[in-house]
Amino acid sequence: MPFRFKIIGLLLGIMALTLALPTPNRAEDPILGYTSPWPAMDGYPYYGQSVTLNWIDISSGGTPLTFVDEDSYLGPFNIGFSFPFYNQAFSNFYINANGFITFEAKDPALDPSMYAINQCPLPDADKPNNVIAMLWGDLEPRDVRGPYIFYRSYSACPVGSGRCLVVSFIDWRFRLSHEAAGTFQAIIYENGDIRLQYLNVGTTIGATSNNSYTVGIENNNAGLGYGLVYRCDAPYQLTSGTALKFTRNFLSLTPEATALKTCNGQVTEYTYQLTNYTGAPGNFTVSCSVSLPGAMLQINGGACPASLFLNNGQTASLTATLTPPACSPPGLKILGTLSASGNSYSAGASIDQTLYQSGIWDQIPSEPEYCRQDIVAGTYGGKVWSIAGKGDSTVRAYDSASRQWSIVTPIQNDSGLNLDNYARSGCQHGSKVFFYGDLATPGFQGLWSFDMAASPPTVRQESPGGPYPGVFGPAWAYDPEANLCYLTGGGGSPDLPNQNTRSTVHVYDPVNNRWLSNLTNLSTSRKLHAAFVFKRPGDNHKMLCVAGGINTYYSQETPLSSTQCYDLTAGNALRGENADLGPLPATRWGMGYTQRLNSGTQPQLWLVAGVLPGGQVSPSTLYFEVNGGGWRDGGNLISGVAYRNSAVTIADEEIFKLGGLVERSQVCTADRFKVCAGCLWWNDQLFLPLIMK
């Protein structure tokens, strides 16, 4: 069966995950603003897209206007042709000094100062309506002597074709802040198209409520979604050189661009929507091309090009099936294009597919109930168990076969431990996961365990309890041959993040329920780090290693890129920092961590998401190939950025990322690193068949 990659088209209702961007110092009263998905389409539809700036200078041939005051409303002026705007046609227009043109006369019941209050977003049912918001805000000209607005009609437009009207605002500023708004213009065409151009704009647009603005268009029917906004009140999102085009008649093929990672040899289906908005019925042709010899791109299961008839406003669903060569070198890209044409209009879409040999990340259903961070996870009975974590106390289990989560109930919890805690990581021995108290959760001190095989699953406090009452952000590692758990590093209470971190490594024997002698202290104390046990290639020595994290010393927090290992075979000898795994490519802390066996025998040490230099929360993953040496890119999580998330491996191969934080908010999202099937491909240099998995 081919893998089905369904995409909901038309771009309506798609909300982009907007991360906190580094911004320059700004004035007081910052505002959130609205950033539309772009390109975009409204309910009529008008289609908005970015184009190349092509400024029309009408300062020498246009009609100049001078306003009486900053809220002046002038007109009507003759457009020079009948302009179709949504489902109406207009021959006259009006200009308001607050950066918009409209096709409605001034409403005497509306206070003139209300025109200075931009509507955000569009469409908005309140008046004024039938608006082209060039840069709608509380504006005034920088030079009161003027002229500072010009308009001119053309029988043959200098930009585009047919007749057009150009309206330009020259050197305007925000009235209250006196900071620059800019120089901008609107071009409206006799076919109903609109072009907005921004020769230059101020650098503080949208930074405060005094500099609020709207860029877009709207009709008088907000209920049907007749309006389209590019940006409004969004700080620093409108820049000099921007040009936008709003098209009334067009051919739509959505989504316009798709990037996907797939396993080598995997047949993939992409779903598109082709809609005829050209204003007339017609025959349309969809052609396709693919960059890689031996790859094949088909439309609706047949040959490409394909033909179809569409009435005006009609939509057809298209399935593009991309079949790569049977086996290709890892990391190879396949670039595909779809081109639709008819009624003198055209539209295109692109495919960017990367082939992977070992595996790829995909997003799985989010955890049920409430979201959480610092999750203790385990695997048993073919399921991934989310046992404890800050944010919710329910135990959840994910069945990889059915791709479904379930709430595990009942739970035997005689001690009444609140599983809504900061335990963060654990050590799994058989069906039991051991985890340690956090000092912040009442009653959560010492060592605890959760038995996934018990009926019902059981929470219990272990005795002896452990070396100290609690620890925050440690990293556990398990030695399956010696049946030993290693509790590495950690800090004080999560409520007191500036407490010094620990460099200790405690050893717990889960078989005999006892703590053994500590190992020599690490050279650098750390918390929110990773820990692994594996065998070193060459001499087969067993190694216990830590990586990354944060070092806290007298309130000074230092993110770490260093690694350090113990040679457990050589009497638990502490090795020098970076002697075995080398340093990480960059500092990283708060990541999930786990191990997997590539091809069943090759250990990989994985770091999943976390915080990179400069406080950047990242979706990236990283792994150390024990047999090959060196840290390698493991790809990005599909669900996006996270830190203080957790990771666990099932059947030594598939990795699961659970929960975490994004901008101090807990997330429920989960991802899976799906193992690709084995593929035989030919190495052109060695002329040897290589098995990749």
Side-chain angles (χ1 to χ4, degrees):
M1 291 291 291
F3 170 69
R4 295 184 177 272
F5 186 72
K6 297 288 186 182
I7 307 170
I8 304 301
L10 300 185
L11 300 176
L12 293 175
I14 298 176
M15 297 303 295
L17 175 62
T18 304
L19 305 180
L21 299 175
T23 56
N25 292 332
R26 61 179 68 177
E28 294 296 319
D29 191 23
I31 48 182
L32 178 61
Y34 179 82
T35 300
S36 170
W38 198 259
M41 196 159 27
D42 70 5
Y44 179 69
Y46 260 93
Y47 176 68
Q49 61 183 316
S50 297
V51 293
T52 302
L53 178 75
N54 195 347
W55 185 262
I56 301 176
D57 186 355
I58 59 172
S59 59
S60 60
T63 300
L65 295 175
T66 301
F67 285 87
V68 176
D69 59 53
E70 70 274 5
D71 295 322
S72 291
Y73 197 110
L74 299 183
F77 305 106
N78 185 260
I79 295 175
F81 49 86
S82 179
F83 174 62
F85 188 57
Y86 288 95
N87 51 7
Q88 297 173 271
F90 300 97
S91 57
N92 294 309
F93 72 101
Y94 301 81
I95 300 178
N96 187 275
N98 291 298
F100 66 87
I101 59 179
T102 178
F103 306 102
E104 294 183 349
K106 183 177 181 180
D107 186 345
L110 192 64
D111 188 284
S113 64
M114 296 301 295
Y115 293 116
I117 302 175
N118 61 303
Q119 298 171 359
C120 178
L122 300 177
D124 190 303
D126 292 340
K127 292 185 177 182
N129 296 126
N130 284 313
V131 164
I132 297 177
M134 305 159 68
L135 204 160
W136 183 0
D138 191 356
L139 305 182
E140 66 180 10
R142 182 180 296 274
D143 185 349
V144 297
R145 295 170 297 179
Y148 28 75
I149 291 183
F150 298 86
Y151 73 92
R152 180 176 178 178
S153 293
Y154 288 91
S155 58
C157 195
V159 175
S161 60
R163 292 184 290 182
C164 73
L165 168 72
V166 182
V167 179
S168 296
F169 278 58
I170 309 298
D171 198 17
W172 284 65
R173 68 183 183 185
F174 291 100
R175 184 178 65 86
L176 295 177
S177 69
H178 287 186
E179 294 175 330
T183 295
F184 44 92
Q185 72 181 191
I187 310 172
I188 65 174
Y189 295 85
E190 63 178 334
N191 65 356
D193 290 355
I194 302 160
R195 189 181 184 103
L196 302 181
Q197 305 202 110
Y198 301 85
L199 187 63
N200 58 71
V201 295
T203 58
T204 59
I205 287 183
T208 72
S209 58
N210 289 339
N211 293 2
S212 60
Y213 71 100
T214 296
V215 173
I217 62 175
E218 73 163 3
N219 184 228
N220 59 359
N221 199 330
L224 293 179
Y226 286 10
L228 185 58
V229 66
Y230 170 67
R231 300 287 188 269
C232 62
D233 294 347
Y236 317 110
Q237 294 296 300
L238 184 66
T239 57
S240 298
T242 296
L244 312 170
K245 186 176 182 181
F246 298 83
T247 307
R248 190 168 185 265
N249 292 327
F250 59 96
L251 187 63
S252 170
L253 182 61
T254 58
E256 295 184 348
T258 306
L260 185 64
K261 298 175 181 178
T262 65
C263 289
N264 204 335
Q266 177 178 298
V267 177
T268 309
E269 291 184 353
Y270 299 84
T271 300
Y272 294 90
Q273 304 294 325
L274 177 66
T275 307
N276 175 15
Y277 294 120
T278 65
N283 292 302
F284 298 89
T285 300
V286 181
S287 57
C288 52
S289 64
V290 64
S291 64
L292 182 66
M296 181 171 60
L297 190 58
Q298 295 177 297
I299 300 296
N300 291 342
C304 195
S307 299
L308 65 162
F309 176 86
L310 292 175
N311 288 312
N312 186 50
Q314 184 179 358
T315 298
S317 181
L318 304 175
T319 299
T321 304
L322 179 57
T323 305
C327 281
S328 304
L332 188 69
K333 275 184 176 290
I334 301 179
L335 302 178
T337 59
L338 277 72
S339 301
S341 60
N343 285 3
S344 300
Y345 291 88
S346 62
S350 65
I351 296 172
D352 182 345
Q353 183 169 316
T354 304
L355 305 181
Y356 280 76
Q357 298 293 130
S358 57
I360 56 173
W361 286 100
D362 66 355
Q363 188 169 356
I364 64 173
S366 297
E367 290 195 48
E369 299 294 323
Y370 294 100
C371 305
R372 56 188 179 183
Q373 68 195 66
D374 300 325
I375 294 173
V376 174
T379 60
Y380 183 77
K383 297 180 179 180
V384 174
W385 292 63
S386 178
I387 298 167
K390 189 59 184 175
D392 188 62
S393 61
T394 57
V395 177
R396 308 93 179 261
Y398 177 76
D399 188 328
S400 185
S402 65
R403 293 179 62 87
Q404 291 184 342
W405 285 94
S406 60
I407 302 296
V408 179
T409 184
I411 298 292
Q412 184 75 27
N413 189 356
D414 293 339
S415 300
L417 175 65
N418 185 3
L419 293 175
D420 181 355
N421 58 49
Y422 294 97
R424 185 174 183 264
S425 67
C427 174
Q428 182 172 343
H429 168 70
S431 64
K432 296 177 74 173
V433 178
F434 296 85
F435 49 97
Y436 212 87
D438 61 19
L439 286 179
T441 305
F444 186 32
Q445 296 184 352
L447 184 67
W448 294 74
S449 68
F450 183 87
D451 191 344
M452 298 173 284
S455 182
T458 302
V459 180
R460 60 169 288 183
Q461 186 169 18
E462 298 292 334
S463 179
Y468 31 67
V471 61
F472 168 61
W476 286 89
Y478 179 62
D479 181 348
E481 293 181 344
N483 294 320
L484 293 178
C485 293
Y486 295 92
L487 176 62
T488 71
S493 170
D495 296 334
L496 301 169
N498 291 330
Q499 289 185 346
N500 291 351
T501 45
R502 292 186 170 98
S503 59
T504 51
V505 177
H506 300 279
V507 186
Y508 175 69
D509 177 357
V511 176
N512 299 297
N513 188 25
R514 61 177 182 170
W515 291 92
L516 307 180
S517 299
N518 291 2
L519 303 188
T520 304
N521 284 358
L522 293 162
S523 299
T524 303
S525 63
R526 59 188 76 210
K527 65 183 177 183
L528 298 172
H529 58 291
F532 309 97
V533 173
F534 62 93
K535 287 188 176 179
R536 184 172 61 192
D539 59 10
N540 211 35
H541 278 212
K542 192 180 298 180
M543 312 297 290
L544 164 65
C545 300
V546 296
I550 290 181
N551 168 258
T552 304
Y553 185 71
Y554 289 104
S555 301
Q556 297 296 315
E557 292 203 332
T558 305
L560 302 173
S561 62
S562 63
T563 66
Q564 191 167 27
C565 299
Y566 295 88
D567 189 333
L568 302 180
T569 305
N572 300 333
L574 179 63
R575 307 264 297 166
E577 288 196 342
N578 303 322
D580 297 281
L581 301 183
L584 304 181
T587 60
R588 187 182 293 248
W589 62 270
M591 60 284 199
Y593 66 95
T594 189
Q595 304 176 217
R596 68 176 291 266
L597 292 177
N598 187 29
S599 299
T601 60
Q602 303 170 28
Q604 293 178 340
L605 317 178
W606 280 76
L607 306 178
V608 179
V611 183
L612 300 183
Q616 176 192 357
V617 183
S618 174
S620 68
T621 67
L622 194 67
Y623 69 91
F624 186 86
E625 189 77 63
V626 172
N627 291 351
W631 291 96
R632 303 180 183 181
D633 177 18
N636 287 352
L637 299 175
I638 303 303
S639 65
V641 302
Y643 72 106
R644 290 176 64 178
N645 55 287
S646 298
V648 67
T649 303
I650 192 169
D652 286 330
E653 285 195 336
E654 288 191 328
I655 299 172
F656 291 81
K657 169 266 176 187
L658 305 178
L661 285 173
V662 177
E663 295 183 347
R664 300 185 181 181
S665 295
Q666 291 148 350
V667 295
C668 299
T669 53
D671 296 74
R672 175 186 64 160
F673 183 78
K674 182 178 69 174
V675 179
C676 292
C679 181
L680 183 68
W681 65 280
W682 197 260
N683 186 307
D684 291 333
Q685 294 181 338
L686 299 179
F687 297 100
L688 294 173
L690 303 178
I691 296 291
M692 304 295 292
K693 186 176 180 181

